[in-house]
Amino acid sequence: MLVVFVRSCDLLLRVWKHHHSGSDSELKVEKDGVSDNESKVDSGVPEVPVPPDDTPEVLNKALSGLSSRWKNWWVRGILTLAMISFFFFIIYLGPMVLMMIVLCVQIKCFHEIITIGYSVYHSYHLPWFRTLSWYFLLCVNYFFYGETVTDYFFTLVQREEPLRILSKYHRFISFALYLTGFCMFVLSLVKKHYRLQFYMFGWTHVTLLIVVTQSHLIIHNLFEGMIWFIVPISCVICNDIMAYMFGFFFGRTPLIKLSPKKTWEGFIGGFFSTIVFGIMLSYVMAGYRCFVCPVEFNNDSNSFQVDCEPSDLFQLQDYALPSVLESVTGWTTVRLYPFQIHSIALSTFASIVGPFGGFFASGFKRAFKIKDFANTIPGHGGIMDRFDCQYLMATFVNVYIASFIRGPNPSKVIQQLLALRADQQLHIFNSLKAHLIEKGLLPALEEAAA
């Protein structure tokens, strides 16, 4: 009996020690801001190797005497100025160069996200999967760019026989290419890697949805006029910079747990700065045809041109001020471009909703225990780290144009009519003539012609 009692006491003591050691570790985990359940879930996610610091040696030597906080501030500032200068340079080169830059950025973002997938799931040895990922990227780009060329450069496509054939069967060819990749994926399935292969298949397609689709919308915005490309992107850049500046100098109140360095002071300061910046930039750009005119193909000169008669959206108009502002400023009216009114909506989205693209990216990186998508740009991370908000902004701008700006395009209607058979064109002509006579417009046009 004594032996049994001693063993029972020893067992109870072990249980008590285990219970208290577990409680202490739980408290420690809670203090670190990660719950026990979350740590158990995340323990199954392998960490991606942290890339080495690739800050240029010149900057490291010049800033060696500064603290890490101020060193990072200067590195980010210098590289930001360099990127803005490069942005101005490619704008100067014209819309076609901008389109190629967007394609290059898209490919690099795809590469960064896919590389994380390979590292996380250790999928380097999966049969054909790296090749298939890039093949699907090629297929999706062929589809979207083909749609864009057919839509915006119809005259050029109809003039060249090979392009006309590719345009006519474009969607069938795109589907056949994708179906080929799908069959190759099924044939590459290996019994011991089924789940992993389907993980990466889904990873690739979500990446294509986020990156390629959004970059396609950016190009659509560009062809509507460079101002629809430059102003939204610049607003996101301005909000990013000003939110960082206000947060760096005045930030005290955390904004969101996903991004501990984001503060309410930076968020609010970035909002008002972006609104003012958007209005000013829109006023400057709306006065130049090269920015407001859509990109079109000139059949006579065999080249792309940006020249038109600016629409009412880019004509100065008088607006009556509210009584409150009138009493403050002493002005009764103010002359603005209508586009400046729209720029307020663009700036508001860029500063309030746009950052959620960055929060989404922060959550993604936290899920896989990485600091940045890559180390392409010292102090900034990868290309995807700089464009996480831009893709969300591109979708909004495209939807905004389609909902509030774009109307029927006569040139596209004529292009579609010219593609019809002669009897179909004649039928439409007679229907249109009867409609105009019924409305009483055709006699007036005939008298004017006489």
Side-chain angles (χ1 to χ4, degrees):
M1 289 292 293
L2 181 62
V3 174
V4 173
F5 176 75
V6 170
R7 288 182 177 179
S8 301
C9 291
D10 181 61
L11 180 61
L12 289 172
L13 182 63
R14 288 183 183 181
V15 171
W16 181 84
K17 287 183 178 180
H18 177 74
H19 173 71
H20 279 268
S21 63
S23 300
D24 292 341
S25 62
E26 184 177 349
L27 288 172
K28 182 179 179 182
V29 170
E30 290 294 339
K31 287 180 181 178
D32 292 338
V34 182
S35 65
D36 186 52
N37 291 334
E38 186 177 349
S39 64
K40 287 179 181 179
V41 173
D42 288 345
S43 63
V45 180
E47 295 187 19
V48 180
V50 179
D53 180 22
D54 64 342
T55 304
E57 190 64 28
V58 176
L59 290 179
N60 277 328
K61 290 182 179 179
L63 305 175
S64 57
L66 299 176
S67 64
S68 59
R69 182 170 182 261
W70 278 100
K71 178 182 176 182
N72 182 63
W73 189 89
W74 278 104
V75 170
R76 286 176 66 96
I78 293 171
L79 269 298
T80 297
L81 292 176
M83 288 188 289
I84 291 175
S85 302
F86 178 71
F87 183 57
F88 285 149
F89 176 69
I90 60 175
I91 289 173
Y92 171 76
L93 295 178
M96 302 311 296
V97 176
L98 280 173
M99 185 175 72
M100 298 308 298
I101 292 296
V102 170
L103 176 61
C104 294
V105 168
Q106 173 217 113
I107 293 173
K108 179 58 179 171
C109 290
F110 180 83
H111 171 260
E112 290 177 359
I113 299 177
I114 289 298
T115 299
I116 292 173
Y118 290 145
S119 302
V120 167
Y121 292 111
H122 301 290
S123 53
Y124 296 104
H125 304 294
L126 290 182
W128 289 102
F129 210 91
R130 185 181 291 271
T131 303
L132 284 175
S133 296
W134 289 99
Y135 176 79
F136 283 127
L137 176 67
L138 176 65
C139 292
V140 175
N141 270 311
Y142 174 80
F143 171 74
F144 280 126
Y145 275 84
E147 292 284 313
T148 300
V149 170
T150 303
D151 191 26
Y152 286 94
F153 308 122
F154 183 82
T155 305
L156 174 64
V157 171
Q158 292 300 312
R159 195 179 63 180
E160 302 293 336
E161 183 64 25
L163 291 178
R164 185 161 61 247
I165 295 173
L166 288 175
S167 174
K168 183 177 181 180
Y169 302 106
H170 171 68
R171 296 194 175 184
F172 180 81
I173 295 173
S174 301
F175 178 71
L177 290 173
Y178 178 82
L179 201 60
T180 301
F182 179 81
C183 294
M184 291 173 63
F185 166 75
V186 173
L187 293 174
S188 69
L189 290 174
V190 178
K191 186 174 182 179
K192 62 180 180 179
H193 294 310
Y194 282 161
R195 180 178 297 181
L196 183 57
Q197 287 181 285
F198 278 101
Y199 277 157
M200 292 307 299
F201 185 78
W203 186 289
T204 300
H205 281 67
V206 171
T207 304
L208 291 173
L209 176 65
I210 294 175
V211 175
V212 182
T213 306
Q214 312 295 335
S215 63
H216 170 69
L217 296 180
I218 291 178
I219 293 174
H220 265 245
N221 301 339
L222 173 62
F223 282 126
E224 292 293 330
M226 290 179 65
I227 195 169
W228 291 106
F229 172 84
I230 297 173
V231 170
I233 286 182
S234 300
C235 286
V236 172
I237 294 173
C238 173
N239 182 73
D240 192 29
I241 293 174
M242 297 310 297
Y244 177 76
M245 296 290 286
F246 275 92
F248 186 87
F249 290 106
F250 309 109
R252 296 292 183 273
T253 312
L255 176 63
I256 187 172
K257 290 183 178 180
L258 282 174
S259 296
K261 294 183 180 180
K262 299 290 192 301
T263 63
W264 274 106
E265 291 81 2
F267 184 78
I268 296 171
F271 169 73
F272 286 106
S273 302
T274 305
I275 296 293
V276 174
F277 172 80
I279 294 174
M280 294 174 61
L281 179 63
S282 300
Y283 182 82
V284 173
M285 297 186 64
Y288 294 91
R289 293 189 178 188
C290 59
F291 292 133
V292 303
C293 293
V295 181
E296 295 179 345
F297 181 78
N298 190 324
N299 199 33
D300 298 328
S301 61
N302 291 327
S303 62
F304 297 101
Q305 66 175 17
V306 184
D307 189 24
C308 67
E309 186 63 33
S311 64
D312 293 338
L313 197 62
F314 305 105
Q315 303 286 347
L316 282 171
Q317 299 180 17
D318 291 325
Y319 291 92
L321 287 176
S323 57
V324 177
L325 293 179
E326 184 179 344
S327 61
V328 174
T329 61
W331 302 339
T332 56
T333 61
V334 62
R335 287 180 65 80
L336 295 172
Y337 292 102
F339 181 79
Q340 288 181 272
I341 308 299
H342 295 290
S343 73
I344 296 176
L346 300 179
S347 302
T348 301
F349 184 90
S351 53
I352 294 180
V353 184
F356 279 84
F359 300 153
F360 177 85
S362 297
F364 178 88
K365 289 182 286 187
R366 277 177 166 268
F368 296 103
K369 304 177 183 178
I370 57 176
K371 183 176 182 292
D372 296 310
F373 283 95
N375 59 345
T376 309
I377 310 171
H380 291 269
I383 299 295
M384 190 64 198
D385 290 286
R386 294 298 90 210
F387 281 83
D388 47 11
C389 301
Q390 297 288 2
Y391 286 128
L392 192 62
M393 187 71 190
T395 305
F396 172 74
V397 174
N398 191 269
V399 172
Y400 189 88
I401 292 174
S403 302
F404 304 109
I405 304 298
R406 186 189 295 133
N409 191 330
S411 62
K412 290 186 178 181
V413 174
I414 293 175
Q415 290 173 0
Q416 292 175 347
L417 289 176
L418 294 176
L420 299 176
R421 300 192 310 268
D423 60 320
Q424 293 174 326
Q425 294 177 1
L426 188 60
H427 175 71
I428 292 175
F429 170 77
N430 291 329
S431 300
L432 182 60
K433 180 179 178 181
H435 175 74
L436 293 176
I437 293 174
E438 182 181 350
K439 291 288 185 181
L441 298 175
L442 191 58
L445 294 174
E446 291 175 348
E447 289 176 5

